[in-house]
Amino acid sequence: MYDRNYWVDHVKDESGEVIQQGTLLDQAHFNPMEEGISDAYLAEAISVFGQVQKDFEYQPEVKTVSLSMNSSYPWPFNNKETTVALSQLRENTSYHVAINVDDYSGGQIGNIHVLDRALNGFKLKHDGSATSVTVTLRIEGGMTA
């Protein structure tokens, strides 16, 4: 722990007599100051590194995925699952998957379901009649706070 040092000026009167003895400029006074500055710099560097790591862990992962279908099924029309691999391994499966439909063709989309969540990925399935669906996924969370 850094102990603050209050410095005192060395003061002489007009005749040269010492009125106030100043704080000595020696290693006993300067070294603790250097250690305090060094410790404060190190603490700031650790804090910045921790924030960078935290920001990295909470960056959303964005992916574009194409879903196709098995066309031989009656309603719900499709049972084909598409596996989505995550770039970053999650610590738990409570991550959120936001789905934005970019494009679809060959019918209606129906519902898009997120299935079988794992730490490294999950599966998507749409139950509509569309033969092709393109979605953008935004995956957030799944990291220990």
Side-chain angles (χ1 to χ4, degrees):
M1 180 174 170
Y2 181 72
D3 292 324
R4 185 173 179 175
N5 189 13
Y6 292 92
W7 297 84
V8 178
D9 289 335
H10 189 78
V11 181
K12 295 181 183 178
D13 66 10
E14 292 144 3
S15 64
E17 189 174 326
V18 175
I19 298 173
Q20 176 177 288
Q21 181 65 41
T23 307
L24 295 176
L25 304 177
D26 59 9
Q27 73 177 18
H29 290 92
F30 284 121
N31 284 346
M33 180 174 58
E34 290 295 322
E35 289 171 3
I37 293 169
S38 176
D39 290 350
Y41 176 78
L42 181 59
E44 175 64 18
I46 290 169
S47 176
V48 167
F49 177 78
Q51 187 60 48
V52 167
Q53 184 66 26
K54 184 177 179 182
D55 291 345
F56 173 76
E57 290 173 353
Y58 292 103
Q59 287 294 321
E61 187 171 333
V62 179
K63 294 184 164 293
T64 300
V65 177
S66 293
L67 308 174
S68 57
M69 72 174 291
N70 289 335
S71 59
S72 62
Y73 282 84
W75 192 90
F77 300 114
N78 186 22
N79 71 346
K80 185 173 182 185
E81 297 173 349
T82 301
T83 301
V84 178
L86 294 173
S87 300
Q88 184 179 2
L89 185 68
R90 304 297 163 153
E91 294 176 11
N92 59 61
T93 58
S94 65
Y95 49 85
H96 175 72
V97 181
I99 303 169
N100 182 58
V101 177
D102 299 329
D103 191 30
Y104 66 95
S105 63
Q108 297 300 314
I109 300 169
N111 296 307
I112 299 175
H113 304 277
V114 177
L115 310 166
D116 300 334
R117 290 173 194 253
L119 300 180
N120 63 346
F122 54 91
K123 294 179 183 173
L124 285 180
K125 181 173 80 169
H126 77 91
D127 61 11
S129 60
T131 55
S132 176
V133 179
T134 303
V135 296
T136 298
L137 308 173
R138 183 179 173 99
I139 302 105
E140 296 181 274
M143 299 297 187
T144 304

